[in-house]
Amino acid sequence: MNTFADRQIRDEVSRLSSAPVADGVWSGLRPVAPLWVADVAVPEGQPACVVVQDGVVRWVGPLAQLPSAYSALPRFDGLGAIATPGLIDCHTHLVYGGQRANEFAMRLAGATYEEVAKAGGGIVSSVKATREASEDELFALAAPRLQALLEEGVCAIEIKSGYGLALAHERKQLRVARRLGEAFGVTVCTTFLGAHALPPEYAGKAGGSQDYTDLVCSEMLPALAAEGLVDAVDVFCERIAFTLAETEQVFQAAQKLGIPVKLHAEQLSDMGGAALAARYGALSCDHIEHLSEGGIAAMKAAGTVAVLLPGAYYTLRDTQRPPIAQLREAGVPMAVSTDHNPGTSPALSLLLMANMACTLFRLTVPEALAGITTHAARALGLQDSQGLIASGRPANFVLWPVGEAAELAYWLGHKPGCTIVRQGRVAADGLGVHKHHGVRHGA
């Protein structure tokens, strides 16, 4: 273990646990429509304020109309900063052992995703490293990855299992995900992805895929759900992974337990997975480069979010873009995520993914910003608590030192020193807003 890294993690966890509360009147903010809901309309071009009390947003509107009930609260001058909801990374594989830089080199030498997998690489190589790591080791490996995302304004994140592929190891991953949320004061949604790939002990055996699917449904999922470790269930439905019939079997098992589903869908081919997922009311269908018109219609009818993962598209040098124009025309909400994983998207910047979604997939800036806030919240079933600055919601927002909102999707590799309010605490104060506040009375 890296004792220096361990000490850094302990120091960061200690700092966050003592972070100051964000209760007060945050004024001088520039709202980004439609990521705010004001209690009193803010005139165009005028600054707004957000009232936080007991860690919850209580009022949004112009400072001149601040209700007297909040006039005695501390004041924090945002100095004209752009304000957005906390960012949401709605599709990640953050907890794993090892790394797969060698496969990156293989792909550059001409190997395809499928060729890497058939050669024993891909997901299975991460399975070996994850199984060999202890829970504490996995926590220590994942913590710096999470820190990198949090420093950029992420306030909620999904973390999948899927590199254990056996009950004890899937449990280990999901336990680490829960620990990360508690240690770093961030909302973590856990997703059981036991049907990610065939584990080595089942691969190559007659009926191995069905036997493993049965294990996922009859033993692994019920046990993990009973332990409170599963917020959603995912499947990798693809010709190199699980069939439509096997996917539906997993969905049925989740449905019996009252757990929502989502799907790695149509990444390498059109398997019809999106339409199947929509029939089960899936929260999201992710990747979707080969999504059909029928799949789009089914997702629209079900209210399923399309999660775009430009990092994987870029890393795999894909040429088949998701059908953005058709999704837009159909009114299907589009989220954007890092898909952080060791093989096909070792990305640790959600803002970079917003840029890639614009440049590679042709999203507009408003679409990209909604994709990493409002629509990402919906993809996790968090639409009532995350992804929007509005009264009654937990205080999760970011103040950005930029001239206009488009800069959030414009710069490459720039991490602005922002002020981050996460779970009602000032997790970072790059603008010095909280540090230099003054308590004032009266409106």
Side-chain angles (χ1 to χ4, degrees):
M1 296 290 288
N2 186 330
T3 55
F4 177 70
D6 291 344
R7 187 167 62 252
Q8 284 186 309
I9 293 168
R10 288 195 299 270
D11 290 347
E12 178 64 7
V13 169
S14 176
R15 185 190 69 79
L16 290 171
S17 66
S18 60
V21 297
D23 288 9
V25 178
W26 295 74
S27 62
L29 309 180
R30 285 185 288 158
V32 178
L35 307 181
W36 288 53
V37 176
D39 296 283
V40 175
V42 179
E44 186 174 354
Q46 295 299 306
C49 73
V50 174
V51 174
V52 178
Q53 194 172 48
D54 298 325
V56 176
V57 174
R58 300 297 184 186
W59 190 83
V60 180
L63 182 62
Q65 297 187 52
L66 179 72
S68 60
Y70 306 123
S71 61
L73 290 176
R75 301 290 181 91
F76 308 113
D77 188 350
L79 301 173
I82 292 285
T84 70
L87 307 187
I88 300 170
D89 201 352
C90 64
H91 179 129
T92 84
H93 306 253
L94 202 72
V95 177
Y96 56 85
Q99 46 82 16
R100 283 152 53 188
N102 62 316
E103 294 174 22
F104 176 68
M106 286 176 64
R107 285 194 300 272
L108 289 175
T112 66
Y113 185 98
E114 291 163 296
E115 287 169 344
V116 169
K118 288 177 180 177
I123 294 168
V124 175
S125 65
S126 291
V127 171
K128 182 177 185 295
T130 301
R131 287 182 172 184
E132 291 173 351
S134 69
E135 184 176 314
D136 287 342
E137 287 170 334
L138 289 175
F139 180 90
L141 289 168
R145 302 168 193 149
L146 178 60
Q147 283 178 269
L149 292 165
L150 298 183
E151 288 168 2
E152 204 174 61
V154 168
C155 291
I157 187 169
E158 186 238 30
I159 301 177
K160 303 178 189 291
S161 65
Y163 291 131
L165 307 186
L167 178 56
H169 301 296
E170 291 286 297
R171 175 187 288 120
K172 184 170 60 177
Q173 281 191 275
L174 294 170
R175 281 175 54 85
V176 169
R178 288 282 193 240
R179 282 178 59 187
L180 288 167
E182 294 167 2
F184 288 91
V186 60
T187 299
V188 171
C189 295
T190 56
T191 296
F192 172 58
L193 183 55
H196 195 194
L198 274 187
E201 57 269 25
Y202 284 85
K205 291 186 177 180
S209 185
Q210 184 58 60
D211 289 345
Y212 179 66
T213 303
D214 291 343
L215 179 72
V216 166
C217 296
S218 64
E219 296 185 27
M220 295 169 68
L221 175 55
L224 296 171
E227 295 172 31
L229 293 173
V230 182
D231 296 325
V233 173
D234 196 355
V235 180
F236 185 18
C237 181
E238 192 53 75
R239 58 177 179 253
I240 62 170
F242 293 87
T243 67
L244 273 178
E246 290 163 345
T247 299
E248 184 163 23
Q249 183 180 343
V250 177
F251 283 178
Q252 289 172 343
Q255 188 177 62
K256 288 178 182 177
L257 294 169
I259 301 173
V261 300
K262 55 183 65 177
L263 190 65
H264 281 63
E266 274 63 294
Q267 180 184 9
L268 306 176
S269 62
D270 181 10
M271 293 279 290
L276 171 67
R279 290 206 300 274
Y280 284 83
L283 292 171
S284 68
C285 288
D286 306 25
H287 287 290
I288 59 169
E289 282 85 347
H290 294 266
L291 182 63
S292 68
E293 290 283 356
I296 292 172
M299 289 173 64
K300 170 62 176 176
T304 299
V305 176
V307 177
L308 308 175
L309 304 173
Y313 176 92
Y314 170 83
T315 302
L316 293 172
R317 295 184 293 171
D318 205 343
T319 57
Q320 177 72 38
R321 286 200 301 260
I324 300 301
Q326 293 90 332
L327 288 164
R328 182 184 291 133
E329 183 178 357
V332 174
M334 294 179 284
V336 177
S337 185
T338 62
D339 187 22
H340 177 83
N341 74 80
T344 62
S345 188
L348 287 170
S349 170
L350 193 53
L351 293 182
L352 178 59
M353 296 303 102
N355 174 277
M356 286 185 172
C358 293
T359 56
L360 299 178
F361 294 164
R362 307 295 189 265
L363 260 62
T364 64
V365 168
E367 286 173 336
L369 295 182
I372 58 177
T373 54
T374 307
H375 296 328
R378 182 171 295 278
L380 296 180
L382 298 178
Q383 61 270 23
D384 293 332
S385 61
Q386 299 269 354
L388 198 66
I389 299 177
S391 296
R393 292 171 176 251
N396 293 292
F397 56 86
V398 186
L399 309 186
W400 305 91
V402 296
E404 55 185 298
E407 290 188 57
L408 299 179
Y410 167 70
W411 295 107
L412 292 174
H414 174 53
K415 292 195 174 185
C418 47
T419 290
I420 302 167
V421 172
R422 189 172 68 241
Q423 293 189 347
R425 290 184 174 273
V426 183
D429 193 16
L431 278 68
V433 173
H434 193 273
K435 180 180 179 181
H436 298 109
H437 82 276
V439 178
R440 296 183 297 171
H441 298 276

